[in-house]
Each structure stands twice: as C-alpha cells, then as structure tokens.
C-alpha cells in the first residue's frame, strides 16, 4: 500500500501515466485489499454538472482509486440557509474502491475541491464543489479531522437518495440501511434530474 501513499498530493487534475494505471488496476485483484468508500458531491456555483463530472474524473485519475459507480443527479435546495438566498445544488454520490487510507482520501478530496476553486468562507456557503467522504468501509471514527461515517449523512436526503439509487442494499455504518434512513427523512426538496447524467469513467 505504500506505493500509493508517498509524496505530496497534486491538487491539479492531470492524466495519470499508464504505468500507474496498470498498478492501480492490479491492486483491484491482488492482496492490496481495496476498501469501499462512498463520496458525496455537490455544486451550486458555475457549471454545476461540469463541476460534478470533473470531480468524478479527478477521483478516477487518483492513483489508488477506482470509481465503481456514479449515481443519478439530483437538484436540491441549499442546506441550512434562507430559502432563495443561494442557487440550488446539483448532488450525486460516487462509490469507490480504494487502497488509500481515509486520511489520504480526505487529502485528495480537498485537493479536488481546491482545483475547482472551492472557497471556505462560511459554513453552508455557496460552493463550486463539495467532495465529502460519507463512509469508508465499516469504519466508525470520531476523529475531528475526519469523522466516519459523515456525522450528518443519516439526515440528508441529498446524500441518501442518490446513494440508495446506486446501491439499494447500502448500509450506513452505525446507522443501518440507507433505505430506512431515507424513508425516515423523506425526499422533500430533493428532485431527480433525469435529463442530466454523469459519465462513469472508462
């Protein structure tokens, strides 16, 4: 696993050399023991669909990461702010297999956000791109740098609805079936956008 965790994280979205791609592909079938991770994406500034697709592509271009599934796109009202005070969000969920530990995956998530000029001026402020780790394998951790699973995922329909679409049997560690959690919070303010689609990297 050390092959994937050495060196600084490159915040730019660059092509990955074929030799690295081959090594990552090999990790899928060897004893590197890739873990399943769930990532939530959101954007409400700029070209929202392009921002989400760029995040999917950047994750796929990360050594030690393979994108396995991409959810449908949802349009949702901003969380925690006055109605109408911000543009609506496009949201989606990505399922990964990764040999990166959670801390390195978090570094990459932040680097992808920065590549899309994410600004962290205010909590729940508008942003070009949000890349949040929702769950990593069955890990439950209260580490303040990366709480797993995401501490508010169980109450957010904009995470639960697309996650349920892409994996109806999914479980949120420590909280139970995603289907049950989604049933409890409902789908108000979360609208599927059947006219939009994110591409799964080839």
């Amino acid at each position: 696993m050390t092959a994937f965790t050495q060196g600084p994280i490159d915040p730019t979205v660059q092509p990955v050399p074929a030799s690295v791609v081959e090594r990552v592909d090999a990790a899928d079938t060897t004893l590197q023991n890739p873990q399943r991770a769930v990532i939530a994406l959101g954007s409400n500034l700029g070209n929202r669909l392009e921002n989400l697709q760029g995040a999917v592509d950047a994750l796929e271009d990360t050594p030690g990461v393979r994108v396995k599934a991409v959810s449908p796109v949802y349009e949702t009202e901003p969380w925690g702010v006055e109605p109408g005070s911000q543009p609506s969000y496009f949201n989606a969920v990505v399922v990964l297999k990764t040999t990166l530990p959670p801390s390195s995956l978090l570094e990459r998530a932040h680097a992808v956000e920065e590549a899309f000029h994410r600004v962290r001026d205010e909590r729940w402020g508008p942003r070009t791109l949000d890349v949040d780790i929702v769950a990593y394998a069955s890990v439950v951790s209260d580490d303040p740098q990366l709480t797993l699973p995401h501490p508010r995922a169980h109450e957010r329909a904009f995470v639960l609805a697309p996650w349920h679409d892409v994996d109806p049997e999914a479980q949120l560690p420590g909280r139970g079936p995603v289907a049950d959690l989604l049933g409890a919070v409902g789908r108000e303010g979360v609208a599927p956008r059947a006219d939009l689609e994110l591409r799964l990297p080839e």
Side-chain angles (χ1 to χ4, degrees):
M1 204 159 104
T2 55
F4 298 119
T5 57
Q6 299 299 312
I9 297 295
D10 183 355
T12 58
V13 181
Q14 297 287 347
V16 178
S19 60
V20 175
V21 173
E22 288 169 7
R23 199 162 72 236
V24 175
D25 283 337
D28 284 348
T29 55
T30 67
L31 297 179
Q32 293 285 352
N33 191 28
Q35 301 295 315
R36 184 182 180 89
V38 178
I39 306 287
L41 305 177
S43 173
N44 75 332
L45 292 177
N47 188 320
R48 296 168 293 174
L49 188 66
E50 279 191 8
N51 293 342
L52 296 189
Q53 185 64 58
V56 173
D57 295 341
L59 290 167
E60 175 69 10
D61 282 344
T62 302
V65 171
R66 273 286 165 268
V67 174
K68 293 300 184 181
V70 180
S71 78
V73 176
Y74 280 76
E75 187 165 11
T76 68
E77 293 304 313
W79 175 273
V81 299
E82 284 293 316
S85 65
Q86 289 184 24
S88 61
Y89 273 84
F90 285 174
N91 291 99
V93 161
V94 179
V95 178
L96 311 173
K97 286 291 187 71
T98 182
T99 55
L100 298 178
S103 58
S104 297
L105 189 59
L106 179 65
E107 287 181 11
R108 182 56 176 169
H110 287 168
V112 172
E113 290 178 342
E114 289 167 12
F116 283 81
H117 310 294
R118 161 72 185 272
V119 177
R120 297 176 182 273
D121 283 343
E122 56 180 302
R123 190 180 192 193
W124 295 322
R127 64 281 309 264
T128 52
L129 185 63
D130 229 352
V131 182
D132 286 330
I133 301 175
V134 176
Y136 183 99
S138 58
V139 174
V140 176
S141 168
D142 58 3
D143 184 334
Q145 297 301 315
L146 177 58
T147 303
L148 290 170
H150 191 287
R152 291 174 294 280
H154 66 283
E155 59 190 24
R156 291 182 168 179
F158 62 82
V159 172
L160 298 171
W163 188 5
H164 180 260
D165 285 345
V166 80
D167 185 0
E169 305 301 319
Q171 300 265 341
L172 183 63
R175 294 285 183 178
V178 169
D180 293 351
L181 298 170
L182 179 59
V185 301
R187 293 174 175 263
E188 185 177 353
V190 179
R193 287 294 302 266
D195 57 319
L196 303 177
E197 186 178 4
L198 294 172
R199 302 182 310 276
L200 189 66
E202 297 179 356

